[in-house]
Amino acid sequence: MRTYFNDLPKTALGASYWIFAVYLVLPLALMMAMSFKDANFIAFPIGNWTLSWYGKVIQDKQFLEASLYSIGIALATTISATIIGVWIALLVSAENIWGKAVIFALACLPAVVPGLINAISMRIFIRAVDIPTGTFAIILAHTVHAVPFVVIMVLTRLRSMPANLVDAARDLGADPFIAFLRVTIPYLMPALFGGMIFCVLTSIDDFVRTFFLGGYQPTLPMLIFAKVQGGMSPEINAMATIVLVVTTAVGLYAEHFTRRSRS
Amino acid sequence: MQPVVHFKNVNKSYGALTAVDDLDLAIAPGQFVTLLGPSGCGKSTTLRMLGGFDSPTSGEIYLEGKPISHLPPNRRNVNIVFQDYALFPHLTVGRNIAFGLELKGMESAAIHKRVSDLLALVSLQDHAERMPAQLSGGQRQRVALMRALAPDPNVLLLDEPLSALDAKLRQQMQIELKSIQKKTGKTFIFVTHDQEEALTMSDVIVVMNKGRIEQMGGPDELYARPRSRFVANFIGQSNFLEGTVASVSGGIASVEWRGNAVNADVNGTAPIPGDHVTVALRPEAVFCLSRKPEDRQSLKGRIDQRVFKGAHTSLTVKLDNGSTLEAQIDPVALSHIEGDDVWVGWRDRDAVLLAK
């Protein structure tokens, strides 16, 4: 009895973890299950199973266009956020830079500012400087949001980099640029890769910024939102399931890659 | 012969701190030169200035007669082996060694040949495809050495490269480094705080202290003829006897030391009677006898402490004049025990006057 009592915190922790896991997975599982239901409304029991909703989604031109649009925005965001993020990380990690803390704080600000506030302020800003809503404005907002994650990941990696590595490259005949390209960048690769995947995923996932800054062409979240307003249907579930599976696969691969290259 | 490296009146200060103080140092080609000194003596700064990672506050450094202070590291024909090796973790052993060759624009067949030759020099032929993380400490050390030698530098700089290895491996690497230096005929400039390392490998040792050169010379010369108390103490151990010069004749000074007359080599100094001087005396130069010798000078004392150390025995002798003397004697030659009366002395040439 006594030992059982001593183990209680541990038991309780274990049990509550499993409750949490169920709470986490069950809605996703339900959503996925409903996408196979052979009826155009969402309710139990499922009855007949079908793949027809997936067939419909894959042939849905709107869905394909929105997917490509989202991917395009995600790639543009990733490229610009990575360049800016690496640049800021290098700046902050340099030895004699005045106002280091301020630069770092400013770069990280978008990570803590609520998305809605961020979106509204960006909307006001683009109107003030006469940038039209649409693709460019969306990429601008997504980039601002993604930069802090790149900065933090790259900075963490940079700080673990032996200072002598760049010195060794310089010593062997590399000018500063070659040393950066052939030693610093490869050393940063795991962090860069992780940061880039993170940029892609946040960009594809973003709704609120896109909502305020987008034009007429819908991104994937916008399309799903529009369809939901017309009523839930297994077709939306199928779309959501495809997005879920693809993003999870990308995320897991990134995690695997980062872990392997660190060891 | 023109020196391969020449520091001329080189100063380096960081704010109020002077790291290198008016350094004048000429290094002849093909030698194994060691900069020896305690941490903060300026030896690493000297090396980094030669490598191009620090620039002198004033003065000029010449490499084969040409001033190089204004050149960045990538435009100096010197290479450095770092203390932590600094191997590129994302490149294989072969690619690490090839790094400098690729940047020189050498063609790939020639690079391949050179890399395998270098690896063969340290018996690592089979390791070209390994990653640095898969190597042992000694192997990494060898790869770092070969990477630095690959571009065929005039001068190889080594910044305490053995300090991360365990004692046994370090001794083995000392021998190996020395033999590679002989084989390649290059000038090696080696930085260390370990006097034994310096004595083992060097043709020339430069003892540094507080940013200045204390003394420069061959290992045996520095050991037998230290010029200063710092050198006498930093390389090996010494007894220091402070006294007044009574007379000088034939290069031997007679020194009045605590009521006794003791003799010492003038060691390049020019003492005159009445000078206050310090005499340095190695413990192993001291003899201990149980009877007063008739044929040479000796001082009477009593054994205060006796420590058996295997290869020799250490004695601390309390002399009748009130001071103590350390002596190292053959462990089997003497059956003295603590408390025994002994007569100690030394050959005149084994004790040396210090300049400062």
Side-chain angles (χ1 to χ4, degrees):
Chain A
M1 188 66 195
R2 197 179 162 79
T3 53
Y4 181 75
F5 183 76
N6 281 346
D7 276 346
L8 194 59
K10 215 171 165 185
T11 318
L13 267 178
S16 51
Y17 170 75
W18 285 112
I19 291 168
F20 175 72
V22 166
Y23 157 77
L24 197 72
V25 171
L26 195 61
L28 293 174
L30 280 178
M31 179 194 79
M32 290 168 91
M34 286 302 168
S35 69
F36 296 104
K37 182 181 161 87
D38 191 6
N40 54 6
F41 60 96
I42 294 175
F44 274 107
I46 286 177
N48 296 323
W49 296 74
T50 179
L51 282 173
S52 64
W53 295 114
Y54 285 91
K56 211 174 162 195
V57 168
I58 286 167
Q59 281 160 23
D60 182 349
K61 228 181 131 202
Q62 265 189 319
F63 174 76
L64 292 178
E65 274 172 10
S67 299
L68 286 178
Y69 187 49
S70 274
I71 290 168
I73 286 173
L75 291 181
T77 299
T78 303
I79 291 166
S80 44
T82 304
I83 292 170
I84 297 170
V86 169
W87 180 65
I88 293 174
L90 289 173
L91 200 66
V92 172
S93 70
E95 274 170 43
N96 305 311
I97 290 291
W98 183 86
K100 243 197 250 197
V102 178
I103 297 171
F104 182 66
L106 279 178
C108 290
L109 193 63
V112 289
V113 170
L116 185 63
I117 306 297
N118 189 208
I120 292 170
S121 63
M122 283 296 287
R123 175 70 190 246
I124 295 167
F125 172 74
I126 62 164
R127 177 169 285 181
V129 298
D130 235 7
I131 297 172
T133 54
T135 313
F136 183 69
I138 297 174
I139 293 170
L140 215 60
H142 285 191
T143 301
V144 168
H145 180 57
V147 160
F149 301 101
V150 178
V151 172
I152 288 165
M153 289 178 92
V154 170
L155 207 53
T156 310
R157 183 82 180 150
L158 263 184
R159 289 199 168 131
S160 78
M161 180 169 168
N164 280 344
L165 283 188
V166 171
D167 283 352
R170 296 296 312 278
D171 185 64
L172 291 165
D175 62 29
F177 181 67
I178 296 283
F180 175 71
L181 220 58
R182 294 195 51 178
V183 174
T184 310
I185 289 284
Y187 189 85
L188 293 181
M189 221 45 217
L192 281 179
F193 188 74
M196 286 165 89
I197 294 292
F198 200 87
C199 289
V200 170
L201 294 182
T202 49
S203 169
I204 287 190
D205 173 60
D206 181 76
F207 175 76
V208 106
R209 291 171 187 81
T210 316
F211 183 80
F212 276 86
L213 299 163
Y216 296 106
Q217 195 178 358
T219 62
L220 202 53
M222 305 278 286
L223 180 75
I224 292 175
F225 177 71
K227 286 202 184 254
V228 167
Q229 289 192 316
M232 290 297 281
S233 87
E235 188 194 350
I236 295 173
N237 285 12
M239 266 184 207
T241 303
I242 292 171
V243 173
L244 177 71
V245 168
V246 170
T247 52
T248 307
V250 170
L252 284 178
Y253 175 70
E255 166 70 15
H256 171 72
F257 176 86
T258 316
R259 203 173 280 228
R260 196 190 50 190
S261 51
R262 265 190 202 151
S263 64
Chain B
M1 197 169 9
Q2 189 192 28
V4 62
V5 171
H6 196 172
F7 287 85
K8 252 188 192 157
N9 306 104
V10 169
N11 285 280
K12 176 68 187 177
S13 45
Y14 300 97
L17 183 87
T18 304
V20 171
D21 189 1
D22 201 25
L23 181 75
D24 245 314
L25 173 64
I27 291 170
Q31 289 196 310
F32 198 118
V33 179
T34 299
L35 306 183
L36 175 68
S39 58
C41 74
K43 57 190 193 299
S44 286
T45 308
T46 302
L47 199 76
R48 287 182 65 82
M49 284 195 290
L50 186 51
F53 300 106
D54 267 323
S55 48
T57 312
S58 67
E60 183 60 66
I61 303 169
Y62 296 88
L63 183 66
E64 296 188 313
K66 294 185 194 79
I68 56 163
S69 296
H70 60 287
L71 294 175
N74 46 313
R75 295 190 45 212
R76 298 181 182 204
N77 201 5
V78 298
N79 286 122
I80 185 164
V81 178
F82 290 92
Q83 188 169 10
D84 58 359
Y85 317 143
L87 294 176
F88 306 126
H90 61 286
L91 298 178
T92 61
V93 166
R95 294 290 311 282
N96 260 282
I97 296 175
F99 195 89
L101 302 174
E102 287 168 8
L103 289 170
K104 273 191 150 189
M106 201 187 259
E107 56 183 290
S108 64
I111 291 178
H112 192 80
K113 170 94 175 49
R114 176 109 177 109
V115 169
S116 34
D117 287 352
L118 287 166
L119 282 172
L121 194 60
V122 286
S123 315
L124 287 173
Q125 304 88 311
D126 313 333
H127 292 63
E129 297 306 314
R130 302 263 181 100
M131 300 307 278
Q134 297 170 293
L135 302 179
S136 69
Q139 290 171 332
R140 268 180 232 180
Q141 163 71 70
R142 291 185 182 94
V143 174
L145 183 65
M146 289 307 121
R147 183 180 69 176
L149 276 175
D152 206 23
N154 298 343
V155 180
L156 190 77
L157 312 178
L158 303 108
D159 187 8
E160 307 214 19
L162 304 183
S163 58
L165 305 178
D166 63 61
K168 204 148 208 175
L169 195 54
R170 198 179 320 159
Q171 284 178 356
Q172 194 186 322
M173 282 305 298
Q174 287 170 10
I175 309 283
E176 201 170 323
L177 264 181
K178 178 70 191 165
S179 91
I180 289 170
Q181 190 266 332
K182 270 192 189 147
K183 255 186 252 176
T184 56
K186 300 218 172 284
T187 310
F188 276 33
I189 302 180
F190 188 93
V191 159
T192 185
H193 61 266
D194 185 327
Q195 47 112 2
E196 191 207 311
E197 219 163 81
L199 291 174
T200 309
M201 294 186 289
S202 318
D203 296 317
V204 175
I205 298 176
V206 181
V207 183
M208 292 185 71
N209 184 30
K210 294 179 183 160
R212 291 176 158 274
I213 296 178
E214 280 280 338
Q215 192 175 351
M216 182 173 165
D220 37 4
E221 182 194 340
L222 283 187
Y223 191 83
R225 297 270 173 268
R227 300 285 307 277
S228 67
R229 197 176 181 124
F230 180 83
V231 175
N233 221 7
F234 197 78
I235 299 180
Q237 289 172 301
S238 290
N239 293 294
F240 295 107
L241 323 179
E242 287 173 22
T244 313
V245 176
S247 64
V248 185
S249 83
I252 300 294
S254 175
V255 176
E256 172 81 13
W257 176 56
R258 289 174 175 255
N260 295 109
V262 296
N263 289 344
D265 194 298
V266 294
N267 193 27
T269 63
I272 50 171
D275 280 358
H276 287 279
V277 291
T278 302
V279 173
L281 175 63
R282 297 288 183 194
E284 67 270 23
V286 177
F287 64 76
C288 289
L289 301 169
S290 21
R291 278 198 199 87
K292 184 173 168 58
E294 300 301 327
D295 54 337
R296 40 194 159 163
Q297 274 190 329
S298 62
L299 304 169
K300 187 167 177 292
R302 173 172 293 175
I303 297 177
D304 195 37
Q305 205 175 36
R306 179 180 189 275
V307 181
F308 176 71
K309 290 197 170 160
H312 62 79
T313 297
S314 264
L315 297 180
T316 307
V317 180
K318 191 130 195 144
L319 295 177
D320 285 358
N321 69 12
S323 61
T324 57
L325 214 56
E326 295 289 331
Q328 260 179 30
I329 56 165
D330 191 331
V332 289
L334 197 72
S335 54
H336 292 316
I337 53 166
E338 285 166 9
D340 278 3
D341 283 344
V342 287
W343 277 264
V344 299
W346 55 89
R347 293 188 313 169
D348 295 349
R349 300 268 171 207
D350 285 346
V352 293
L353 285 193
L354 300 179
K356 43 196 165 170

